[in-house]
Each structure stands twice: as structure tokens, then as C-alpha cells.
Amino acid sequence: MVISGGISLGAYEAGYNWALLKYMTHLKHHSNSTSINMLSIAGASAGAINTLMSSMAWCRSQESMDINNTIENNLFYSMWTEVDFEDLFIHRDGVVDVKNTTSLFSRIKIEEQASKIIAQMHRPLYDKECSIPFGFAVTRVQPKQVDINGIKINNKLFQIPITLKVKEDGSAYVRDNTDIKRDNIIHLSKDGMISDEAMKKAMFASSAFPIAFEQVTLDYLYKGTQERAKFLDGGVFDNIPLDLAIRLAENKSSDYIFMDPANLRRTFESVKRDSTSEPETSPINSAIELLMDIFSASESSVLYNTLAEHFENSDKEIHLSDRYFPLTGKLLEHFGAFLDRGFRDYDYFVGVYGAIVNSAAYACKGKDEVCFKKAKRAIYDILVKDSKRGRGFLNYLSSEEFGYAFEEDDFEVDEDLLKIYQSIQNITLNDMQDFHTFIDNLNKNKYVAKNKYLRHALAYPDEWYRESLSFIVQRIVALERKNSTNLSKAISAVGAYTAGSFYRHKSGYTYNPVSAPLDQDKLWVKMLPYEVALGKNLLSIGYENYYYFKHDKPYLPKAIELKPSLSFELYDKIDQVHFARVDLNLNFEIKKDFIALGFGPSLYKDFDRTIDSEIDTGFNAYLDVLNMVRVTAAKRDDYQGQDWYIYVGVNDIPSFIYWMFME
């Protein structure tokens, strides 16, 4: 069995793996007509965590089958449903992870879940006769030079072979598997006994998605020599470690289960696009696409070579998982299911449903629809015992795909799961337009988000990214301050300030709408002038008050702006003095987050009564670029001195101060 990676797609995989292993172990213990044995399991990235749990699930004893092993009470379910964005984000209403100085996200919550997995491994729940080889693919950060027949090669892809064994008391433990002899094999211990800490580190190394999670330092044996090195996500080069699964099974198996969340058995409506012409692509986009193609090719090259070596002109068979329903885990480059607990529940149950259908199809291969229908019902009965929620939703999914439920009795569908399905049912979630459609559908179906980042997205669907992007920018700057030179720190700070227009929150009333996410102890920064501008012999400082409207129509004003400002003469002139100006403007976004245009009436009042003691009227108009640079033309009526003012100003001064100088 081989389990691919996919970050939050792990929730779907968890449901599929739990259901498949529960069904297979049932056959192992109860079927007189079926002989079944699992020879090996291998995984990478999110699949590495599911690989350990799958190995433990396979070795469950007959007596312990239903102890903490029902559809909503098992390791797979708790591991993936209990971790969301708020558990990953460091600081800013997230977790405090002071030791983490290199990655965007924290692994603290995942470590807690992993400890629960290890704790269950040591409980007396397993068959004393069971032993199962399993392993992970990992990527070495710094390549290791190996010599093969005199040819020196820099290798980054390594494999960790392990065996799960069971003691006399029924508890399980893990050992190094020393049967595989290759130049890319590493072992986790000197005496063969792998500690709990080493086991967790190996899982985390295989699932350390670049930049998102910290690289993991492993102490290991390579060809009998003790070494230490940093490792990251095994899915970078070998997301589907079929080669490892074959070698762990000593090439003795004729059947291979291939867990692939990307494989579909239907076509979604949004895939049906106009294919008569290809759009023009800019040079930058072409370069990005080429890099992505190279990355994708390197990721799949190991799989290609394995398939060519072992499956061409062979009677070996791959049983490829497939799915009918879309997944929330496909969102946001596979981080999407972390947006909400309901999303992960939905993906998990879609995985359980997929395992039922795939297992029934395999059991009835070459037989008629009657066999298929009976097999689905039989597997469903094994899995859904005592779960009203699972029973309702799985029956609903069966009705949607096949036109009939697993059972004829009435069933009640969980409202949250139903709303998610109705919002996602006909979209692929392969691009941002599909994501917007999904968010709009959730709003139409009145879905109540459980996570604050999804609540923000539902409240402001056209600005869904601002809350999380703000955190990511802040985290990147914090990491640069800890780990980089002064020049790099300055570049990251300027970059954060420059990008502020894209994550500055725009809703309701806001005073001095800074882009920097100010902590409580830094709120004084917001008291600084929002704009500093220069005119002819004038220095102006201004403060902003905005009321943003909730729409995204460029022909309507985006906001009403109230701006008091003070202008000071730089040197004495007879016809010029210090004065105050208050503008009341309509603000239009000509190009969202890039260019804004504003205009409206103004009031003027001099500080020096010798020139003009009255309050004068006037108007102003401005052009705003990236909320950084503003050019303003202001006209003052019935004035004895200068009646036109042209200013060039810099906006969001508080954010600039924050990024450049705040620790």
C-alpha cells in the first residue's frame, strides 16, 4: 500500500485509510473465504503520518477492533480533524512557539496529535502474530554525495525503512528494517530499537512541507556510520513512494493499493472550458509555469521509473483509488481543509465513502451490479456502526452518485456537511475563480464558519486572503529579523510595507487604516500621522478616517474618507501661513488595491488671523498608487494668498515605522 502526500488532503486520506484498513482487518479476522495479508505500507508528506497509523490499524487484534476504532472515534479522525489554521499560525491570536525560528507555521498541535498516536501504539491492542514493514520518503536539505561504481552523485532523496512489531503483552513497537540494501537508506538507531522521539521526528521530517514547517534534524546511521543532517518533505522528489513499498514487501506482492486523492471518476462542470484557443502567456508567467513543470516532473520521475521497471509486461496489478466528490483540501495549494473543522469532517467522510465504493468494486470485479450493490451495503454495515452522523452523510453521498442509498431506512443528514457539499458539488477548486464560487456558495447556503479565517473570508469574500496574508507577511519579516543580515532585514521590511495595499483590511469604519498588524503594545504607532506630504514651501501631515462600503463595484465609491491635515510653511512668505484643512472625499478603486481616485469638498482655517480669519471652502482631488504614494491637488476659494496647492505624499507612515523599527 502506498499513500501520497497532500498537506490538508491528509483528512481525505485519513477517512479512506481508516475505512479500508477497518474493512481489511475485518476480513482478516472473520472471513473464511478470503485470505488477505498486507506486506508493506509506504508514504510521504502527509501520507507519512497516515502510514504509521495504517500500520497500527492493520495489526489491530480481533478483540480490540472497536476500541477507539469507530468512524468518529479513531486516530485517523482525531489526527486530521483537530488541527486547523489557528493551531498552525504563530502569534497573532495563534500559538506561541518561541523555539521556532525558521518556518511560517507551528507543529505544536501536530506534535500533540502524534504523541497520542505513539501512546496508542504502546497499548495492548494488537495481534501478537502481526508484523508489518512500513517506511517514509524524506528529502535531505544538503545533498549527500554517494559513489556508485565510481560515479559520484549528489543525492537528496532518502528512505527510512521500519517494521512494526507486537510484544507478548499485545503492545506494539518499531524497529529499523535492515533488509533493504541501497545507497539511499538511512536507519534511526544503533541497536535497531527506534525511540518514540526518533519515530515522531521521522514522520515530521517526511511531512515538513518547505517553508511552511520547520526542517527536522535527524540523527541516523548511513552505511553503519553515525550522521546528523536536516531533512524536509519527502514528497518534494517522491510524493508516491511506490518503489519503497515494493522493496519493503521484497517484491512478493501482486496487488498494490495506490492512494491518490487527485484521481477522479467524474468530470466537474468547471472543467468544461473553451479549449479552442490557448491564452497568451506573459514571460514571467511562462517562467513560473516552466519551473512548476520541472518541479512536477522531478516529483514524478521516481514513480515513472518504478512503474516502468515493475509493471510493464507484468501481471502485477495496481488498485488506484478514485473519488466522485470534490474536496476542500484541494483549496489554497492543498492547505484548504485547514480553513475549517467542517471542511475536514467533510473530506474525511468523502474518504470513508470512497473506500467503500472502491473496495466493493474490487470485490465484485467482473460481476454484475447486484454484487456491487450488495458489497457496498455489507462494507457500509461494517464501518458505520453507531454513527448517526456518518450514517446520514454516507447514505446521502450514495444517493447523489448512484441514485440510491446504502440502506432504505430514513436518515438525517448533518446540516454543516450538507451545506459544504451543496457549496462545492460542481466545482474543481483548481483556480481562484472556483474558490470565490465556493465562498459565495457557502454564503448562499448560510454556512456558519468555526474558524476565524473562514469567518473573515465569508464576511469579505473579495478580500478573503487579507487576514491570512497579513499573518504570513508579518511572520516572514519576523523570521528575517531573527536570521538575516541588516540588508536582508531592510529588504523584507520594505517589501512588507510595499505589499501592504494587498492585505490592508477594508471594512466598516477605520481610523488610520494601517496595513501592519499592530500588537496591543504597539497601538501607539497608529497615533502617528498617516500621510506626510510636500507641497510648494509646505510640509503637510494628515490623519485618515475611512468608512468602507461592502461591495466590489468599481463604478461605486469604495469608501467615504474624512481627512484632517495640517500644513506648515517651510520658510516665511508674505502670502502663506500655517493652516488646517479638512477633506470629505469619495474614494473609488480604479484598479483594486493598485490605484484609487478620490475627490470632495474641503474646509480651510489659517493659524495666523492677519491674513484670513474666516473658514474658507474649496475642493480637492487625488490619485493614490498602492496606498503608498498620493498626489493631491487642492483648491481654496476666496483666499487672499495662494489658492492652489499641489502635494506629493507618502501614505501609511505608521506601517513603515512598524516594519522598519518594531521588534
Side-chain angles (χ1 to χ4, degrees):
M1 182 176 181
V2 61
I3 309 169
S4 68
I7 314 169
S8 74
L9 285 171
Y12 164 78
E13 291 182 347
Y16 193 102
N17 286 16
W18 173 82
L20 182 63
L21 270 298
K22 173 92 170 180
Y23 170 57
M24 291 176 72
T25 52
H26 177 87
L27 292 179
K28 180 173 69 169
H29 293 306
H30 298 285
S31 175
N32 295 322
S33 60
T34 302
S35 176
I36 186 169
N37 190 26
M38 182 76 74
L39 295 181
S40 70
I41 306 175
S45 195
I49 298 171
N50 285 331
T51 291
L52 174 60
M53 292 190 291
S54 295
S55 302
M56 293 164 57
W58 171 250
C59 283
R60 289 293 286 255
S61 66
Q62 183 174 342
E63 296 77 18
S64 73
M65 282 288 290
D66 290 324
I67 300 174
N68 294 332
N69 196 31
T70 57
I71 191 169
E72 291 180 89
N73 183 17
N74 63 77
L75 286 177
F76 291 97
Y77 181 76
S78 61
M79 173 68 221
W80 289 102
T81 58
E82 294 181 14
V83 180
D84 63 26
F85 270 150
E86 291 181 35
D87 297 313
L88 301 178
F89 285 167
I90 300 173
H91 305 306
R92 288 277 320 285
D93 301 324
V95 297
V96 177
D97 190 355
V98 294
K99 294 181 180 179
N100 187 325
T101 60
T102 59
S103 68
L104 291 180
F105 299 136
S106 170
R107 202 185 273 117
I108 286 179
K109 182 70 172 182
I110 297 173
E111 288 176 351
E112 292 175 3
Q113 297 301 105
S115 295
K116 294 178 183 178
I117 297 172
I118 299 296
Q120 183 154 308
M121 184 174 69
H122 295 314
R123 294 182 62 196
L125 302 173
Y126 306 95
D127 190 337
K128 297 175 186 178
E129 304 299 320
C130 188
S131 176
I132 176 75
F134 70 97
F136 314 134
V138 292
T139 301
R140 201 176 192 269
V141 175
Q142 296 297 325
K144 173 82 174 177
Q145 188 177 81
V146 296
D147 189 320
I148 302 177
N149 292 332
I151 300 175
K152 290 181 173 57
I153 299 173
N154 286 330
N155 179 45
K156 292 176 75 74
L157 173 59
F158 286 82
Q159 297 172 339
I160 305 176
I162 302 168
T163 300
L164 182 91
K165 291 182 173 290
V166 182
K167 299 177 183 178
E168 281 298 314
D169 64 359
S171 64
Y173 65 101
V174 286
R175 289 187 59 90
D176 278 315
N177 185 326
T178 57
D179 295 333
I180 302 178
K181 309 297 182 184
R182 297 190 74 194
D183 278 310
N184 69 336
I185 296 297
I186 62 176
H187 298 293
L188 300 178
S189 68
K190 292 181 179 180
D191 59 1
M193 293 294 293
I194 300 174
S195 69
D196 292 349
E197 187 64 23
M199 186 70 252
K200 285 192 287 187
K201 281 189 172 184
M203 281 196 301
F204 297 152
S206 184
S207 56
F209 190 79
I211 301 175
F213 295 105
E214 281 191 298
Q215 299 167 5
V216 178
T217 300
L218 295 182
D219 294 298
Y220 61 92
L221 287 176
Y222 177 73
K223 294 184 176 182
T225 302
Q226 187 74 36
E227 293 185 354
R228 168 179 281 199
K230 288 186 178 294
F231 289 84
L232 52 77
D233 199 317
V236 171
F237 292 107
D238 192 10
N239 197 42
I240 305 163
L242 179 61
D243 171 72
L244 177 58
I246 292 172
R247 294 181 184 279
L248 286 168
E250 299 177 354
N251 204 18
K252 292 179 180 178
S253 180
S254 59
D255 293 87
Y256 298 82
I257 299 170
F258 181 174
M259 254 298 300
D260 183 10
N263 193 39
L264 299 170
R265 59 176 180 268
R266 65 174 282 199
T267 301
F268 293 98
E269 289 181 4
S270 60
V271 171
K272 301 173 184 176
R273 307 184 191 277
D274 180 17
S275 59
T276 57
S277 61
E278 292 187 7
E280 295 294 327
T281 304
S282 71
I284 292 177
N285 283 336
S286 295
I288 293 173
E289 289 174 7
L290 177 60
L291 289 173
M292 293 302 294
D293 287 343
I294 292 172
F295 177 80
S296 178
S298 67
E299 178 186 336
S300 61
S301 61
V302 176
L303 177 62
Y304 173 84
N305 292 333
T306 302
L307 291 171
E309 178 184 352
H310 293 279
F311 293 90
E312 282 189 343
N313 304 316
S314 169
D315 59 355
K316 295 175 182 177
E317 189 172 357
I318 291 182
H319 306 284
L320 185 62
S321 72
D322 60 18
R323 59 180 172 86
Y324 184 82
F325 298 102
L327 301 173
T328 66
K330 293 284 288 181
L331 294 166
L332 307 181
E333 299 301 323
H334 297 174
F335 278 92
F338 288 135
L339 272 172
D340 193 77
R341 169 67 182 259
F343 289 3
R344 298 188 295 282
D345 278 356
Y346 166 85
D347 283 2
Y348 174 86
F349 283 117
V350 170
V352 172
Y353 172 82
I356 294 173
V357 174
N358 286 170
S359 298
Y362 176 68
C364 293
K365 188 175 182 180
K367 299 180 182 180
D368 59 14
E369 178 66 24
V370 174
C371 174
F372 182 50
K373 188 173 182 179
K374 286 183 176 179
K376 285 189 295 182
R377 175 58 192 266
I379 299 168
Y380 163 85
D381 285 339
I382 293 168
L383 300 178
V384 186
K385 190 181 301 181
D386 301 326
S387 173
K388 180 180 178 181
R389 190 162 173 251
R391 177 172 168 257
F393 193 55
L394 293 178
N395 274 289
Y396 182 82
L397 293 179
S398 180
S399 299
E400 286 290 292
E401 181 174 5
F402 296 106
Y404 59 84
F406 290 115
E407 53 181 301
E408 296 178 358
D409 295 340
D410 292 335
F411 52 86
E412 183 179 340
V413 185
D414 181 90
E415 187 175 324
D416 283 349
L417 295 174
L418 182 61
K419 287 178 179 179
I420 293 169
Y421 169 69
Q422 291 173 339
S423 300
I424 202 175
Q425 60 182 323
N426 287 319
I427 54 179
T428 61
L429 305 174
N430 281 334
D431 58 38
M432 285 304 155
Q433 182 56 50
D434 288 333
F435 178 63
H436 278 98
T437 302
F438 177 55
I439 293 297
D440 289 341
N441 290 345
L442 287 172
N443 275 323
K444 290 175 185 175
N445 288 309
K446 298 181 179 179
Y447 180 75
V448 179
K450 300 164 185 62
N451 178 285
K452 76 169 188 175
Y453 294 97
L454 183 61
R455 286 196 293 270
H456 173 85
L458 293 176
Y460 309 101
D462 294 312
E463 300 180 0
W464 62 268
Y465 52 86
R466 295 190 190 276
E467 189 77 13
S468 51
L469 181 59
S470 172
F471 157 78
I472 290 171
V473 170
Q474 184 186 31
R475 180 63 181 162
I476 289 173
V477 174
L479 292 176
E480 288 297 317
R481 284 175 176 160
K482 290 178 181 178
N483 301 314
S484 302
T485 63
N486 289 333
L487 177 60
S488 182
K489 291 177 185 177
I491 292 173
S492 68
V494 171
Y497 169 68
T498 304
S501 182
F502 300 101
Y503 57 83
R504 183 164 59 102
H505 191 42
K506 302 176 182 178
S507 71
Y509 170 73
T510 306
Y511 165 72
N512 270 8
V514 300
S515 58
L518 300 180
D519 301 319
Q520 291 296 320
D521 62 335
K522 300 182 181 69
L523 286 177
W524 62 268
V525 177
K526 203 169 183 178
M527 300 300 106
L528 297 172
Y530 192 76
E531 180 193 51
V532 175
L534 288 174
K536 184 178 180 182
N537 192 35
L538 288 173
L539 171 67
S540 173
I541 59 172
Y543 296 81
E544 296 279 13
N545 295 268
Y546 277 88
Y547 184 83
Y548 292 97
F549 299 113
K550 194 175 179 180
H551 68 78
D552 198 39
K553 298 177 175 61
Y555 52 85
L556 294 177
K558 180 65 177 177
I560 293 178
E561 173 192 13
L562 177 65
K563 178 184 177 182
S565 61
L566 300 173
S567 292
F568 303 95
E569 60 175 340
L570 297 176
Y571 55 89
D572 289 337
K573 285 187 65 177
I574 296 175
D575 60 348
Q576 192 177 70
V577 294
H578 311 314
F579 63 89
R581 188 180 94 234
V582 178
D583 303 327
L584 183 63
N585 298 323
L586 294 177
N587 177 283
F588 293 81
E589 283 199 333
I590 307 303
K591 188 171 179 58
K592 184 178 179 180
D593 295 328
F594 276 92
I595 299 175
L597 179 68
F599 55 83
S602 303
L603 296 176
Y604 294 81
K605 179 70 171 98
D606 290 341
F607 295 159
D608 188 342
R609 293 177 177 271
T610 59
I611 295 181
D612 192 336
S613 62
E614 303 295 327
I615 295 178
D616 294 329
T617 60
F619 70 90
N620 78 100
Y622 64 81
L623 181 69
D624 199 329
V625 179
L626 285 173
N627 195 50
M628 291 174 55
V629 178
R630 175 177 288 197
V631 179
T632 304
K635 174 71 167 63
R636 183 172 181 175
D637 300 327
D638 301 323
Y639 186 55
Q640 301 176 20
Q642 181 179 345
D643 55 0
W644 274 100
Y645 305 96
I646 305 295
Y647 296 95
V648 177
V650 177
N651 284 341
D652 202 2
I653 297 299
S655 292
F656 181 79
I657 300 296
Y658 177 92
W659 291 122
M660 292 300 296
F661 304 109
M662 296 295 103
E663 289 294 337

